[in-house]
Amino acid sequence: MRQSSVQMAILEVLAGEGDSHLSALEIYERLKARLPAIAPSTVYRALERLTQQGRVSVSDMGRGVTLYERVGQPLHHHLVCTRCGRIVTIDHTQVGPFFAAIEAAHDFHIQTNHLILFGLCAACRSQHADATT
């Protein structure tokens, strides 16, 4: 199996997932149906190359595994609930002004293109409040 064909297949899988992020195992499982001879190690090596080439980004969303996303998706960011795991996607238009203010205040160029903030969603805060009353 050629490296380039595996890389293209990975990019297609990631493009088909919209703005969700997949682990290497999830990518492997989706590819296995199309490419039965593929090995997990092949997927890991291809993901490493794609990351080094800047075609795939890596995230830690608190799930205990590295998650991958295709670069070129519309810029977005996430709020992740540490209790229930709910993920809320927020548009870059909400975060961009914050990045610009930090850059201006500190004469610094931010290269991060994916902000992930951890906290508690409204439902979990409500459940916690109910449990303490």
Side-chain angles (χ1 to χ4, degrees):
M1 204 171 312
R2 292 184 31 194
Q3 289 180 8
S4 61
S5 62
V6 172
Q7 289 178 343
M8 290 307 297
I10 289 172
L11 291 172
E12 289 170 11
V13 165
L14 291 172
E17 294 301 320
D19 69 346
S20 67
H21 302 70
L22 298 175
S23 69
L25 180 59
E26 291 168 327
I27 293 167
Y28 166 73
E29 289 169 349
R30 284 168 174 79
L31 287 177
K32 186 82 173 141
R34 278 179 33 192
L35 305 168
I38 197 166
S41 59
T42 303
V43 173
Y44 286 108
R45 284 192 304 273
L47 283 168
E48 186 175 317
R49 283 190 301 276
L50 288 166
T51 301
Q52 290 170 350
Q53 294 168 1
R55 298 171 76 186
V56 168
S57 67
V58 178
S59 300
D60 176 357
M61 302 257 274
R63 288 183 25 194
V65 296
T66 300
L67 299 177
Y68 299 89
E69 178 183 32
R70 184 177 179 160
V71 172
Q73 304 287 349
L75 281 181
H76 63 277
H77 309 278
H78 299 285
L79 305 175
V80 178
C81 181
T82 56
R83 184 165 292 147
C84 70
R86 179 173 179 233
I87 298 172
V88 176
T89 300
I90 55 177
D91 190 81
H92 184 69
T93 58
Q94 294 177 287
V95 177
F98 168 70
F99 282 3
I102 295 296
E103 287 178 328
H106 299 279
D107 191 22
F108 190 81
H109 177 71
I110 297 174
Q111 294 177 325
T112 299
N113 62 2
H114 198 220
L115 181 65
I116 301 170
L117 300 172
F118 297 90
L120 294 174
C121 69
C124 288
R125 285 194 324 274
S126 175
Q127 287 175 354
H128 180 70
D130 292 343
T132 57
T133 56

